[in-house]
Amino acid sequence: MSKFNARVATVPHYQAVVPGGPAINARKIRQQSGPVYLVVMKETVVAQDIAGAIADARPGARIVIVASPAEARSALAGVDRLAAAFVSAAPQTFLGSSLAKAIAQRGGQVVLMGDEAEEQGSGPGWSVLHRPFTTKAVLAQLPPVTRRPPGALAAAFCGNWVRRKLAGG
């Protein structure tokens, strides 16, 4: 386990790995609305740059930064759906790993980083964030935002209310 010991601290828009911070609360991550993004890398400053770019572009997103795949698996325990995961790993190390499986089970888009990833390039199931990167490059890796048409939530609520009333509820 890394020196960070799977601990996070809540920062305005995301949770970041810090030494001695409060333990990861998977239930809290699951209960909060908005898409969940995962950043797995030991370089905390770089991870925070990525998280900041995501937070600015996707208000309400939950961004979890961890230093290792083991910490990532722990953080994902309470997450049903993952928008994207930025992982500092070589493709041959990442593919087939338990973290890759956990991300795939949650429908997350994979973005690999690091020397080996940059040398090999994108492949089936992952893209690569090349260094040095810009905010624009980070945002280009994010999955598109799906928006509901105006009134869709109200229509769904009213439809459910009408069905309950007709059913005698």
Side-chain angles (χ1 to χ4, degrees), residues 14-159:
Y14 54 92
Q15 295 179 326
V17 176
V18 294
I24 290 173
N25 186 338
R27 174 183 276 170
K28 184 176 181 181
I29 293 170
R30 180 180 17 186
Q31 290 173 343
Q32 295 178 344
S33 64
V36 177
Y37 296 87
L38 177 67
V39 181
V40 183
M41 69 177 352
K42 292 178 183 172
E43 297 84 10
T44 312
V45 173
V46 177
Q48 289 177 349
D49 282 347
I50 293 169
I54 296 168
D56 289 344
R58 304 284 166 93
R62 298 300 310 154
I63 303 156
V64 180
I65 300 172
V66 293
S68 72
E71 294 168 355
R73 288 189 305 274
S74 174
L76 288 176
V79 175
D80 296 328
R81 184 93 177 111
L82 185 67
F86 289 78
V87 182
S88 181
Q92 60 273 21
T93 304
F94 178 75
L95 297 174
S97 70
S98 58
L99 177 58
K101 292 174 187 167
I103 292 169
Q105 288 171 343
R106 290 160 179 83
Q109 179 176 316
V110 176
V111 181
L112 296 179
M113 301 174 290
D115 293 334
E116 295 88 353
E118 289 176 14
E119 288 171 13
Q120 186 170 340
S122 298
W126 80 88
S127 59
V128 175
L129 180 62
H130 292 272
R131 299 166 295 177
F133 60 84
T134 62
T135 297
K136 186 176 180 179
V138 172
L139 299 182
Q141 299 292 339
L142 301 182
V145 175
T146 55
R147 299 191 187 275
R148 295 179 190 217
L153 185 59
F157 174 77
C158 291

